[in-house]
Amino acid sequence: EKGGFEHFMLKEIFEQPEVVHDVMRGRVRLDEGWLRLGGIADYLDRLKQAKRIVICACGTSWHAALLGEYLIEEFARIPVEVDYASEFRYRNPLVGVEDVVIVISQSGETADTLAALRTAKEKGAMVMGICNVVGSTIARETVCGMYTHAGPEIGVASTKAFTAQVAMLYMLALSLSKGRTMSDSEITLHLRELSEIPEKVARILELDSQIKLIAERFKDAKNFLYLGRGFNFPVALEGALKLKEISYIHAEGYPAAEMKHGPIALIDEDMPVIILATRDNTYAKILSNIEEVRSRKGRVIAIASEGDTEVSRLTEEVIYIPQASGPITPLLTVVPLQLLAYHIATLRGCNVDRPRNLAKSVTVE
Ligand code: F6R
């Protein structure tokens, strides 16, 4: 049942090329920006007219929500707010008939996310869902939505479901842009980039043994810091969450520029810092963040774009991933972080599929 893999988590990480392919199936054709999200087709105009979109979720799905904000604002120029479902439900949120509330949940059963959805409905907002489990409570209670079709996720740490959520949000952002902020040919270009993701993820998966070697060198660290900017900032949060849930090592994710405002005080030779340094508009800034960490003797593990020569001059540990443009990069940069967390945890003898204190589906608050 684990398909020859030692753990479900590893199997699910390796399923990601297929997952991205499946999430696009029947929804995307690479001609003239053809994109059809069946589950929301009847509500698309309403969505495009939303004064504001609010996205609520928990945990890893909340990280996908954050990327949803970045993607929708960048592509469709509709204001988006992201909230933890647990905060939204209890703070008497300002939300009403002009808003669309999107809830994201792999299981479709998370108690806080379900409560956020009910709150939004009571206040008159249109509610839409992005779920993986077909027929789940959240899927049933939303007015419309989309399934991520990632297949059952058994490992408690979410991996392929996250990737599917992000790919889904990418398509949603594009379909909200159609006829408004983007031409069909621009949309086609973005869809083409999405269609190249499965093959690029497959190439990253080939780095598994390199990543395992890095894990061996760093597995005894007591803390890790994850830094990224722009589209890689939510990925830094997700990388840190993966590590802490399955290896029980303390890890924090930060927007790289925030380092100066506090976490830099923690950096010394015992602090590994994972820095997402792919080529985009924040690249030069990220290079100076690497230098700042190095000058305080921090041990940097960088994720950089293939062909990059600057990053390796600054640090010895570099994982090179295929090039891609900024908005789609998270679908690539998250993969080495999943593998790194997996290997560190297994090398420490942790039960990665069933980490202590965690449940796959959090149906109580
Ligand atoms: C992290 C993880 C959790 C879930 C969270 C929400 O790996 O699995 O943080 O993401 O409990 O779960 P869903 O998406 O089912 O609502």
Side-chain angles (χ1 to χ4, degrees):
E1 54 178 0
K2 291 181 198 151
F5 289 94
E6 207 173 325
H7 298 98
F8 283 110
M9 182 179 175
L10 192 60
K11 170 175 178 266
E12 288 160 5
I13 291 172
F14 272 77
E15 278 170 4
Q16 291 176 114
E18 204 182 311
V19 160
V20 175
H21 189 262
D22 287 347
V23 83
M24 295 168 67
R25 194 194 305 274
R27 290 168 168 156
V28 167
R29 259 195 348 234
L30 291 179
D31 49 334
E32 295 163 11
W34 194 92
L35 178 61
R36 190 182 145 79
L37 304 178
I40 60 162
D42 293 344
Y43 300 88
L44 195 57
D45 287 337
R46 169 81 182 77
L47 271 163
K48 285 180 176 176
Q49 282 156 18
K51 214 164 161 198
R52 186 180 62 142
I53 295 174
V54 178
I55 317 182
C56 294
C58 303
T60 287
S61 296
W62 185 85
H63 297 150
L66 218 49
L67 284 169
E69 173 186 348
Y70 281 38
L71 287 166
I72 294 170
E73 291 199 346
E74 167 89 13
F75 288 169
R77 315 304 292 166
I78 299 172
V80 180
E81 197 176 316
V82 176
D83 220 339
Y84 287 106
S86 55
E87 288 297 310
F88 180 86
R89 66 180 288 198
Y90 286 121
R91 67 183 179 85
N92 190 15
L94 261 183
V95 66
V97 287
E98 290 180 309
D99 300 311
V100 170
V101 174
I102 304 177
V103 286
I104 306 178
S105 175
Q106 186 285 129
S107 62
E109 304 295 344
T110 302
D112 281 322
T113 311
L114 178 58
L117 147 64
R118 290 177 177 160
T119 304
K121 243 174 155 175
E122 270 162 32
K123 291 180 177 285
M126 196 194 89
V127 288
M128 181 190 138
I130 297 178
C131 295
N132 192 45
V133 177
V134 176
S136 54
T137 311
I138 291 174
R140 281 186 280 113
E141 292 198 17
T142 41
V143 172
C144 65
M146 296 167 302
Y147 284 118
T148 41
H149 298 308
E153 192 178 60
I154 312 288
V156 162
S158 186
T159 53
K160 64 173 181 173
F162 173 79
T163 308
Q165 289 164 345
V166 175
M168 195 74 248
L169 288 160
Y170 191 86
M171 291 187 286
L172 175 65
L174 289 176
S175 76
L176 294 175
S177 309
K178 203 171 163 62
R180 293 179 54 254
T181 50
M182 267 192 205
S183 65
D184 285 355
S185 58
E186 281 173 297
I187 291 180
T188 303
L189 280 178
H190 289 291
L191 290 177
R192 203 169 292 282
E193 280 225 66
L194 182 61
S195 73
E196 289 166 2
I197 290 296
E199 185 260 330
K200 290 180 178 176
V201 171
R203 275 162 55 200
I204 298 172
L205 294 172
E206 287 170 14
L207 305 176
D208 188 42
S209 44
Q210 183 207 345
I211 295 171
K212 189 173 177 188
L213 287 175
I214 296 176
E216 273 162 7
R217 285 199 281 279
F218 288 86
K219 69 177 184 359
D220 297 317
K222 298 214 161 29
N223 299 282
F224 274 79
L225 195 59
Y226 287 70
L227 303 177
R229 286 175 181 257
F231 287 97
N232 276 327
F233 157 55
V235 179
L237 297 181
E238 175 58 9
L241 178 62
K242 285 291 87 93
L243 186 71
K244 61 189 131 181
E245 338 180 60
I246 60 171
S247 75
Y248 318 135
I249 297 173
H250 171 247
E252 285 193 65
Y254 261 95
E258 277 294 305
M259 185 171 70
K260 282 196 178 64
H261 302 282
I264 199 164
L266 297 169
I267 293 174
D268 62 14
E269 62 276 14
D270 297 323
M271 174 66 105
V273 186
I274 317 276
I275 303 189
L276 298 163
T278 46
R279 277 201 174 271
D280 61 20
N281 59 337
T282 63
Y283 177 70
K285 302 281 175 194
I286 275 285
L287 292 182
S288 48
N289 292 133
I290 295 178
E291 280 171 1
E292 285 156 8
V293 174
R294 295 289 295 177
S295 64
R296 286 160 187 86
K297 301 201 168 56
R299 302 162 74 196
V300 173
I301 304 167
I303 314 293
S305 308
E306 275 169 2
D308 187 297
T309 50
E310 304 283 314
V311 175
S312 62
R313 270 215 292 273
L314 298 172
T315 176
E316 64 276 22
E317 306 283 3
V318 188
I319 300 169
Y320 290 103
I321 64 168
Q323 292 179 7
S325 62
I328 203 139
T329 300
L331 289 170
L332 302 180
T333 41
V334 74
V335 180
L337 304 192
Q338 295 166 341
L339 286 170
L340 187 67
Y342 171 81
H343 286 300
I344 290 177
T346 48
L347 288 165
R348 288 166 69 100
C350 301
N351 182 346
V352 292
D353 282 339
R354 304 209 57 179
R356 68 186 185 202
N357 308 340
L358 293 173
K360 184 65 193 161
S361 174
V362 185
T363 53
V364 291
E365 311 183 31

